[in-house]
C-alpha cells in the first residue's frame, strides 16, 4: 500500500511524521542516523530557546509522540537511494537488512542542515589552530555537561566572547543569507555561561542583532539586564594567540575606533549550510535547489513547502536557515499537503 515517506528524523521530519500519522495516513520515516532527533541530539545541544528546556528531553517527547501517533514505521540507519516514477514514487530504501522498494503517494524531505565550517576560506579566527577557539555547537556540548572550560588547559574561562555571523551574511564566500538562529542561540548560551560561571565576563560582538519576534523579550533583554552579557557592535577581523590567551582584534563600530581585547574562550557563531544529505536527496529526487544548495520552494511566500517535483514537499532547514518553530510549522504544512495527496490516491484506488 502507498505510504507517506518522510526522509529525515530531525525536528522537521518528526513534526511532519507526527502530523501525517495523526491525520490518519500511514507513515514511513527514513533516518540515516541510528537515532532520531536530528542536530539537537547529534550535536548534544544542552537546551533550547527560549525556555532553556533540555534538548534531548524535548526531542525524546517528539519521538514518543511519533511512535504513538498511529501507523508509523521508523527505519533507522537507512537511506533512500533511488526514486522511480513521477508521483506516486517507488522509492528504493537501503536499510541494515538490505534494500526494499516502498510505494509513496507523497514524500516529505526533511534532511536538514550542516554547520558552516569555520576553517574555510576567508575566516581568520583560527578554529583549527587555537584550541580555545570553538563554535556554538562545541559550547552546547560543554554546557550539556555543565563543564565549560578552556580546552587548552581545562580551566574555567574568565573572559568569553562570541563572534556573530561566521559564514553568514558574507558575500565574499557566497553565503549572503542570515542564518536566523545564531543571534538567539549565542544569547541563550551567553546566559547559560553567566549562570554556570558567575565570575565570568561575557561579550557578544555583532554586526547587528537579529532577534526574531518574541526572542527579543525572551532572550535579548534578559541577557543584558539580568545576566549582564555585554553586547558590542563591532567587526572582528582576526584572532591571535597572546600570552597564553586570545587577542581579538577588530573595530568597535559604535565608537568608530580599532578594538583589541584579550579573551580566554572565543565562540564562533557559525551559520547554516545545506547538509550533505539534503544535497544528495535533491539529486536523487531531481529537486530544484537554490544557489546555496537548499531545496527551492516553488511558490513562496505563501506556499513554502512545495518543490519542483509533484508530490514531494520539503520542510525545516532543508529549505534554508530555520529555527525549531519554523521546523514545526513547515513540517506540519508539508504533512497536510502530503496527506491530501495520499487521500486522493486512496479514493482513486478504491473506485
Ligand atoms: C548550536 C545550535 C544550537 C541551536 N539551538 C537552537 C535552539 O535553541 N532553538 C531553535 O529554535 N533552534 C536552534 N537551532 C537550530 C535547530 O538546530 C534547527 O532549526 C533544527 O535542527 C533543524 O531541524 P531539521 O529537522 O530541519 O534538520 P536537522 O536537525 O539537521 O535534522 C535532519 C535529519 O535528517 C537526517 N538526514 C539527512 N540527510 C538524510 C538522508 N539523505 N536520508 C535520511 N536521513 C537524512 C539527519 O541525519 C538528521 O537527523 C540551533 C542550531 C545550532 C547550530
Ligand atoms: S542570526 Fe545573527 S549571527 Fe546569525 S547570521 Fe543572522 S545576524 Fe548573523
Amino acid at each position: 500500500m502507498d505510504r507517506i515517506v518522510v526522509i529525515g528524523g530531525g525536528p522537521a521530519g518528526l513534526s511532519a511524521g507526527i502530523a501525517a500519522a495523526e491525520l490518519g495516513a500511514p507513515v514511513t520515516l527514513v533516518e540515516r542516523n541510528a537515532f532520531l532527533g536530528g542536530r539537537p541530539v547529534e550535536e548534544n545541544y544542552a537546551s533550547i530557546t527560549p525556555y532553556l528546556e533540555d534538548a534531548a528531553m524535548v526531542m525524546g517527547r517528539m519521538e514518543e509522540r511519533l511512535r504513538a501517533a498511529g501507523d508509523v514505521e521508523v527505519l533507522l540507519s537507512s537511506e533512500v537511494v533511488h526514486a522511480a516514477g513521477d508521483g506516486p514514487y517507488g522509492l528504493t530504501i537501503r536499510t541494515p537488512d538490505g534494500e526494499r522498494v516502498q510505494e509513496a503517494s507523497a514524500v516529505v524531505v526533511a534532511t536538514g542542515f550542516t554547520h558552516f565550517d569555520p576553517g574555510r576560506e576567508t575566516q581568520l579566527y583560527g578554529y583549527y589552530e587555537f584550541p580555545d577557539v570553538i563554535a556554538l555547537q562545541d559550547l552546547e556540548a560543554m554546557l550539556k555537561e555543565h563543564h565549560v572550560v578552556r580546552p587548552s588547559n581545562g580551566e574555567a574561562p574568565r573572559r568569553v566572547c562570541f563572534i556573530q555571523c561566521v559564514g553568514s551574511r558574507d558575500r565574499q564566500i557566497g553565503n549572503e543569507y542570515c542564518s536566523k538562529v545564531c543571534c538567539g542561540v549565542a544569547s541563550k548560551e551567553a546566559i547559560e555561561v553567566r549562570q554556570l560561571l558567575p565570575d565570568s565576563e561575557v561579550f557578544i560582538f555583532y554586526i547587528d542583532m537579529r532577534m526574531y519576534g518574541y526572542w527579543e523579550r525572551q532572550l535579548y533583554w534578559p541577557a543584558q539586564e539580568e545576566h549582564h552579557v555585554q553586547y558590542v557592535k563591532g567587526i572582528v577581523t582576526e584572532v591571535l594567540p597572546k600570552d597564553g590567551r586570545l587577542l581579538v582584534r577588530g573595530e568597535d563600530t559604535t565608537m568608530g575606533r580599532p578594538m583589541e581585547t584579550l579573551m580566554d574562550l572565543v565562540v564562533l557563531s557559525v551559520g547554516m549550510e545545506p547538509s550533505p544529505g539534503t544535497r544528495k536527496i535533491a539529486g536523487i529526487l531531481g529537486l530544484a535547489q537554490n544557489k546555496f544548495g537548499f531545496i527551492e520552494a516553488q511558490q513562496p511566500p505563501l506556499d513554502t513547502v512545495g518543490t519542483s517535483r509533484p508530490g514531494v514537499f520539503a520542510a525545516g532547514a532543508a529549505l534554508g536557515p530555520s529555527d525549531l518553530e519554523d521546523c514545526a510549522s513547515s513540517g506540519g504544512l508539508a504533512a497536510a499537503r502530503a496527506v491530501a495527496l495520499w487521500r486522493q490516491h486512496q479514493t482513486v484506488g478504491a473506485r
Side-chain angles (χ1 to χ4, degrees):
M1 189 179 71
D2 276 13
R3 301 176 70 87
I4 291 174
V5 174
V6 177
I7 307 175
L14 288 170
S15 299
I18 292 166
E22 287 181 348
L23 286 165
V27 171
T28 294
L29 189 144
V30 184
E31 165 58 53
R32 72 154 41 146
N33 283 334
F35 51 87
L36 295 176
R39 288 274 155 189
V41 172
E42 192 172 352
E43 301 282 352
N44 291 309
Y45 294 178
S47 67
I48 54 170
T49 59
Y51 304 115
L52 310 193
E53 267 189 291
D54 182 275
M57 272 172 59
V58 173
M59 297 318 301
R61 280 207 302 269
M62 299 266 300
E63 180 173 349
E64 274 172 34
R65 257 188 84 191
L66 175 79
R67 292 187 187 271
D71 181 356
V72 174
E73 175 189 40
V74 175
L75 301 176
L76 297 175
S77 308
S78 300
E79 269 190 70
V80 171
V81 290
H82 181 69
D86 207 8
Y89 296 91
L91 301 180
T92 305
I93 305 174
R94 187 177 298 145
T95 73
D97 302 322
E99 285 191 0
R100 58 178 259 201
V101 175
Q102 176 61 56
E103 294 301 319
S105 36
V107 182
V108 177
V109 175
T111 43
F113 74 101
T114 190
H115 303 102
F116 176 79
D117 177 355
R120 213 174 80 197
E121 298 174 35
T122 58
Q123 307 298 310
L124 296 171
Y125 303 134
Y127 182 74
Y128 293 109
E129 291 146 81
F130 315 132
D132 297 335
V133 178
I134 62 173
L136 281 181
Q137 66 274 19
D138 305 320
L139 181 56
E140 279 291 332
M142 285 201 242
L143 286 165
K144 191 178 166 90
E145 300 298 319
H146 307 287
H147 191 58
V148 173
V149 292
R150 303 179 66 194
S152 64
N153 61 9
E155 286 174 12
R158 279 179 292 117
R159 281 166 66 88
V160 178
C161 77
F162 292 79
I163 301 176
Q164 298 305 106
C165 296
V166 177
S168 310
R169 302 177 66 195
D170 186 336
R171 288 187 177 187
Q172 262 181 311
I173 57 171
N175 288 358
E176 297 142 27
Y177 53 86
C178 166
S179 286
K180 232 175 163 180
V181 302
C182 4
C183 280
V185 171
S187 298
K188 176 199 77 96
E189 292 187 8
I191 290 172
E192 290 173 306
V193 170
R194 288 279 303 132
Q195 285 174 327
L196 194 64
L197 304 171
D199 292 335
S200 62
E201 285 183 281
V202 179
F203 301 81
I204 297 184
F205 296 113
Y206 67 95
I207 306 173
D208 43 46
M209 270 283 133
R210 295 190 168 173
M211 291 283 170
Y212 297 90
Y214 296 134
W215 282 12
E216 184 88 5
R217 184 177 65 82
Q218 292 162 328
L219 296 165
Y220 183 53
W221 296 115
Q224 291 174 74
E225 291 165 2
E226 290 165 36
H227 304 281
H228 309 293
V229 175
Q230 301 178 53
Y231 287 76
V232 181
K233 192 170 172 68
I235 296 169
V236 174
T237 48
E238 58 182 343
V239 176
L240 301 163
K242 189 176 180 195
D243 304 332
R245 301 175 82 190
L246 293 164
L247 181 70
V248 175
R249 203 179 252 173
E251 191 190 337
D252 179 330
T253 45
T254 305
M255 305 306 283
R257 66 180 178 208
M259 171 183 75
E260 278 197 355
T261 176
L262 281 171
M263 293 288 155
D264 298 310
L265 190 65
V266 171
V267 187
L268 305 181
S269 291
V270 288
M272 294 191 191
E273 294 191 320
S275 69
T278 291
R279 293 180 191 274
K280 193 169 165 192
I281 203 70
I284 290 169
L285 290 167
L287 305 177
Q289 294 163 267
N290 66 19
K291 67 184 235 190
F292 311 113
F294 290 108
I295 291 169
E296 190 154 54
Q298 290 303 288
Q299 296 190 326
L302 294 180
D303 175 3
T304 49
V305 299
T307 72
S308 59
R309 293 299 299 278
V312 180
F313 305 97
L319 284 161
S322 311
D323 64 17
L324 295 174
E325 290 172 59
D326 296 335
C327 291
S329 306
S330 59
L333 176 59
R337 301 280 301 281
V339 172
L341 264 185
W342 173 78
R343 290 220 168 114
Q344 274 174 26
H345 288 148
Q346 300 304 108
T347 318
V348 172
R351 273 188 199 140

